[in-house]
Structure formats: structure tokens, C-alpha cells
Amino acid sequence: MAPKVRRVGGVVRPPGDKSISHRAVMLAALARGKSELLGLLTGDDVKSTARVLRQLGVDISAIRDRATVRITGSRLTAPGARLNCGNSGTTARLMLGVLAGQKFAATLTGDVSLRRRPMRRVTEPLKQMGADIKEGGDGLPLTIRGGKLRGLRYSSPVASAQVKSAILFAGLTGQVPVTITEPYRSRDHTERLFAHLGLGIHERDGAISYQPSAVSIPSFTVTVPGDISSAAFMVAAAVLADGGELLVENVGVNPTRTGILVVLERMGAPVERINLRDAGGEPVADLLVRPAGLKGTEVTAAEIPTLVDEVPVLAVLASRARGSTVFRDVGELRVKESNRLELVAANLRAVGAKAEARGNDLYVEGGDAPPKGRVETAQDHRLAMAFAVLGRVEGADVKLSERKSVAISYPGFFDDLRKTGAR
Ligand code: S3P
């Protein structure tokens, strides 16, 4: 466990954005010619996307720290074996969209956690477009045979960037028009990358449309910004300290992802964004974070899509705040890498805090007793990281059931967490 810190200090740089990394690798695989990707996440999830695309005949150089990843796009070819998406929901769901436009059959599977996650939210609209999908239930494994698709207008019942992106990728590979509406705007990285590459993407009154054109996807060079979902853990560690300040460099601050900063400000911890710039159509900034006394808040249903992966760490912060916090309408957390809704509450209780899931809402009571107890991460990277941060507060004694899962999205997490302690 990283040492307890009263003062934070120094500079950390979170790894590349997971969502953007997946999309950039997929688009480079579909593009004509050689693309170069910089700043890509080297976590296991992105390696799953690369592995699956290599099985489909794409040439992708090794994904290593600080390496430029070179991808030579080509026509995808039928795989010789099942496509194993590992732990990655984004790989499975977005690849279903990519495969919907291919004239061959492919079977997708994944690890125990991924095989439990719902796929019908994506297979339903893809079937409406004409993809032939054989599924045993609402999950993996399943077999998709793409081919000639028809256009689709789809009103998604969930605000999910994975659903939206799968449909956009199907429109792209099947060369058919698609229009999607969603209850709340989910992260828009696919739309931004499409626009960056000059692909026909438009938004009108909240509806996202892709219109195919005769031009093929051009190869490209892109620099992936740091992941705000990973930065969130460093920000939280700094907020919980007693003094000092931490600079978190090179963080993507796309407004569909910055809900955590909005909520932190409301809780009494404003985070300064400095050195604002652009990387491949995405806004990027450095974050300057100072410790703060927190107060509880209500996180609304409309805010959830902008911070959906940050609920575990925000709940941890809420357990150290004055007063109570409620997260409205977070039922989606039940179908993430683990049942995060129940596990966040159960683990907070396991370390002595008050928390409970009531219907689709999550309630957390703030307090200042040192957290002590054993946390079951269920191999979920974001639970492991959120509770590792809690384990750093004064007097804490928090034992994690495992630490390896952090490699999914933040391989250097424990080193970075250690680095935030002021010397
Ligand atoms: C992601 C979208 C979100 C998020 C996941 C990554 C993406 O899932 O939780 O970690 O890259 O599109 P949903 O779209 O299912 O909400």
C-alpha cells in the first residue's frame, strides 16, 4: 500500500484515455494505409482490442509504454478462432459494430466478468440493421455474421456511448446512414474522431447522424490525451490530503467526461484547469488540485453519463465529506466490470462507513473515522483504485482483496499514487 500522506505534491501524468484508445485503434485498422498513434493506453483492455484486430488480419505494432503504435489498415479477414475480448466491454460492443459490416462470421467471447455483461443493447439495433447474430442469452459468447446492412434510426433506451458507437461503426463499415438519439448525451469520442477524419458525422437537436460517403477512411496520426477517469484517482488522493498541491498533467477534459470536476466543485473542491489545448479534436488541460474539506451533494441522473466510471471514487470521497451524498439513477453500475452499485456500498460498509443502494440510487453518509477493513474488489480495476485511495487517509487500514486488476486501465497506478506524496 502507498504510504499515508498528509501533504501531496509533485506531478503525475495519467495513462492514455481508454475510450479514445479503443476507437483510435479500430479506426486505424479500418483506414487505408499506415496510421501512427501516440499516447495510447497500454492497459490490458486496449491490448484486447489490438489482439482481436490482429486476429482479423490487421498489422499492429507492439503496444508499449511511450511507443508510437503503427497500424496498417486493411480489409478485415475471417478469424481462425474465437475473438477473446478479455475484460473489455468496449472491445466487445464496438467490435460488434465493426463486424456488422463484414461479410464473414466471427464469434466473440471474454472473461467471466465480460461474459456476464449485457450485449442485447447492441445486438438489437445491429440486428435491425440486418446483421445475423446468434446468441445464447443476453451476453457472450455470440456469433455475428455481417454483410449487407440497411440504415437505421435508433432511439437508445440507455445513455451508452458503447451502444451509440457500435451503431456508428456499423454505419461506417456497412456504408449505410444511421441516426441515434439517447436519453442523455454520452461521451462523444467516436463522433469527434469521425469528424477529425472528415467522415460524415452531424448532430442536430441531440440526434447523432452518420452519412456515408464514397471516400475511404484516410490514415491518420493522433495523440491520445490522458484519461480523466484515471486522473480522477490522483485528484481524489490530493483532495483527501491535508496540505500541498498536485499537478495532474495532460488530462482530456471533454465536457462529456468532466462531470467529476463539476461535482467536486459543488462538494467544495474546485480543481483548476490550466494550459488548455487541443489534441486530435479533444480538449486537454493540466489539473491543479489542492486538498479541501468536502460537503455532501446530490449527483443528478443527468450528470451520471458524464462521470459514470468515477462513481466508485466519488463515493469514496463522499464517505469523507460532511453530510450525505446521493447518486441518482445509477442502475447501470450493476452491469459494469462488477456489480459496482452493490459492491461500492458493501465495501464502504466493510471499512466502517455508512452506504447503501436503494433502488437505483446510491446513498453515502460522510464521516471522519479512519476507514478500516477488507475490501472485495471482485477483480474490478476501478474498485481496487478507489479503495486504494481511501486507504491513504490518516489512520486508515484498508486491505484490498487484490491489486492486479489496475492493469486493465492504469498499469502504473500504485507508482503514481506513491508519487503524489510530497517529499
Ligand atoms: C465507454 C463507455 C461507458 C464506460 C466505459 C467506456 C466507452 O460505458 O462505462 O468504461 O468507451 O464507450 P457505457 O457506454 O456502457 O455507459
Side-chain angles (χ1 to χ4, degrees):
M1 189 59 59
K4 311 270 177 288
V5 281
R6 305 211 59 143
R7 289 183 68 78
V8 281
V11 182
V12 286
R13 240 180 134 80
D17 187 278
K18 181 155 83 67
S19 296
I20 300 174
S21 295
H22 284 296
R23 288 154 172 81
V25 171
M26 289 179 196
L27 281 167
L30 296 169
R32 179 162 296 178
K34 255 199 179 108
S35 293
E36 292 197 337
L37 312 182
L38 292 91
L40 214 62
L41 171 65
T42 58
D44 291 346
D45 270 14
V46 176
K47 289 181 176 163
S48 289
T49 287
R51 183 177 60 241
V52 162
L53 284 164
R54 288 190 190 110
Q55 278 183 268
L56 296 166
V58 183
D59 181 14
I60 304 178
S61 68
I63 297 181
R64 279 199 222 103
D65 263 348
R66 285 179 289 279
T68 297
V69 176
R70 295 190 171 77
I71 301 184
T72 311
S74 59
R75 193 175 291 276
L76 303 186
T77 52
R82 287 176 162 212
L83 304 172
N84 186 349
C85 303
N87 189 247
S88 176
T90 314
T91 306
R93 298 201 180 109
L94 270 57
M95 281 307 300
L96 280 169
V98 169
L99 291 166
Q102 316 296 330
K103 294 186 180 60
F104 53 77
T107 300
L108 278 84
T109 189
D111 71 6
V112 184
S113 147
L114 183 56
R115 290 202 303 271
R116 274 200 292 260
R117 298 180 65 185
M119 291 294 144
R120 228 169 245 154
R121 52 181 59 198
V122 172
T123 57
E124 253 336 293
L126 295 181
K127 279 183 186 168
Q128 287 179 33
M129 293 178 76
D132 174 12
I133 299 174
K134 299 216 169 3
E135 37 198 343
D138 184 10
L140 300 181
L142 60 78
T143 300
I144 178 166
R145 181 184 288 278
K148 199 159 169 41
L149 301 182
R150 43 186 180 270
L152 179 72
R153 273 190 158 273
Y154 191 67
S155 175
S156 175
V158 275
S160 162
Q162 297 183 350
V163 171
K164 176 175 62 179
S165 303
I167 297 169
L168 289 172
F169 272 107
L172 178 68
T173 56
Q175 284 296 286
V176 291
V178 290
T179 296
I180 307 118
T181 54
E182 44 184 357
Y184 299 111
R185 186 72 186 265
S186 64
R187 63 191 66 191
D188 64 358
H189 305 300
T190 306
E191 294 94 302
R192 283 176 187 255
L193 266 177
F194 273 38
H196 190 63
L197 300 182
L199 304 172
I201 189 102
H202 306 282
E203 193 213 311
R204 189 197 258 179
D205 300 330
I208 311 294
S209 300
Y210 166 73
Q211 188 63 43
S213 69
V215 214
S216 58
I217 306 167
S219 59
F220 60 96
T221 298
V222 84
T223 301
V224 176
D227 198 325
I228 190 164
S229 296
S230 298
F233 300 107
M234 300 300 135
V235 170
V239 166
L240 288 179
D242 291 335
E245 67 177 27
L246 178 71
L247 185 64
V248 190
E249 280 185 343
N250 193 43
V251 181
V253 287
N254 177 322
T256 61
R257 297 285 301 281
T258 47
I260 176 150
L261 302 181
V262 175
V263 170
L264 274 177
E265 172 139 22
R266 221 161 53 224
M267 293 178 82
V271 172
E272 216 178 305
R273 301 176 207 197
I274 55 177
N275 196 13
L276 259 169
R277 54 210 187 264
D278 173 279
E282 292 278 351
V284 181
D286 300 332
L287 305 180
L288 195 55
V289 199
R290 297 186 186 91
L294 296 171
K295 53 180 186 285
T297 188
E298 172 166 351
V299 183
T300 65
E303 287 176 321
I304 297 302
T306 68
L307 50 72
V308 64
D309 293 334
E310 287 67 75
V311 174
V313 75
L314 275 172
V316 155
L317 289 175
S319 77
R320 308 303 299 166
R322 198 162 19 86
S324 47
T325 294
V326 56
F327 298 86
R328 296 285 178 208
D329 219 353
V330 283
E332 267 296 295
L333 296 190
R334 291 202 176 88
V335 291
K336 294 294 179 188
E337 286 84 326
S338 68
N339 182 341
R340 282 186 188 158
L341 181 50
E342 294 300 338
L343 280 172
V344 164
N347 281 318
L348 281 174
R349 289 195 298 268
V351 297
K354 274 202 194 131
E356 71 172 314
R358 243 181 273 154
N360 285 333
D361 297 340
L362 172 65
Y363 291 82
V364 180
E365 204 57 55
D368 51 16
K372 290 184 184 184
R374 183 180 184 278
V375 163
E376 175 54 62
T377 71
Q379 322 278 330
D380 181 334
H381 54 136
R382 298 204 198 279
L383 292 183
M385 292 188 278
F387 283 90
V389 168
L390 185 60
R392 298 227 313 170
V393 307
E394 192 60 20
D397 184 12
V398 174
K399 296 216 169 17
L400 303 178
S401 60
E402 60 79 39
R403 297 156 44 115
K404 284 207 288 291
S405 59
V406 306
I408 290 291
S409 61
Y410 199 161
F413 170 77
F414 285 102
D415 289 340
D416 280 359
L417 189 61
R418 213 167 290 125
K419 269 202 266 168
T420 64
R423 272 163 287 264

